[in-house]
Structure formats: C-alpha cells, structure tokens
Amino acid sequence: MIFLSARVARDEIRTGMDIGADDYLPKPFVMEELLRAVDTRLRRQAEAETAANRPLLAERGRMLLALPHELRTPLTGILGFSEMLKAT
C-alpha cells in the first residue's frame, strides 16, 4: 500500500507506516517517485510470491520423481496375472 498525502509531519508519516503503508509520498509528488514506488512494491510482491511458492515447487518435484514408481507397482501385478492368463 502506498500512501499519497498532503500530511508531511514526521509523526503523521510514522502513523501511516504503522498502519501498513509500504511507502509514503507527500503531495505534491513527482510522477517518477510514484512510478518508482509502484515498481518497488510490485517487485517485492513478486519476490514474496516466489518465496512462498518455493516449498510447493520442491514438493511437486519430489512427487514427480516418485509418481512413475507408484504407477508402475500396481501395473506389475496386473501384467503378471495377465501373462498367466494368456499362458493358460
């Protein structure tokens, strides 16, 4: 959350930050400042999402490694019995 406010006293800025602002831009602001603040916020959000997804991606990798074995195990019995049926 980025606060844009005409309030520029130090305690007012601190209050804004305390209630959850990621950045605080006093009015009047320069467009480059706003764009830089938005870019920083988007980059941090992307980094947080990547960090949150890292354990999920690791688990997905482990599952993909185990999946062929888990599928092959029941098929071994089925194939063995089908071979016995074909032989009789």
Side-chain angles (χ1 to χ4, degrees):
M1 178 175 2
I2 300 171
F3 279 12
L4 302 174
S5 177
R7 298 177 177 222
V8 294
R10 179 180 223 108
D11 62 327
E12 294 168 328
I13 293 172
R14 184 73 258 154
T15 300
M17 299 301 277
D18 288 344
I19 62 173
D22 296 308
D23 207 339
Y24 192 102
L25 298 177
K27 292 179 184 175
F29 61 90
V30 178
M31 187 60 71
E32 287 78 23
E33 284 180 311
L34 177 60
L35 293 174
R36 197 168 56 238
V38 169
D39 182 58
T40 299
R41 181 69 188 117
L42 291 173
R43 193 170 351 106
R44 285 184 183 157
Q45 179 71 27
E47 289 169 359
E49 288 174 4
T50 299
N53 287 332
R54 200 168 287 130
L56 178 64
L57 292 173
E59 185 61 30
R60 181 184 294 163
R62 283 190 291 275
M63 287 176 60
L64 288 175
L65 288 173
L67 189 61
H69 172 74
E70 296 301 323
L71 291 175
R72 211 175 24 246
T73 300
L75 287 176
T76 302
I78 293 170
L79 290 173
F81 282 117
S82 65
E83 288 297 322
M84 284 176 32
L85 288 173
K86 279 182 9 181
T88 57

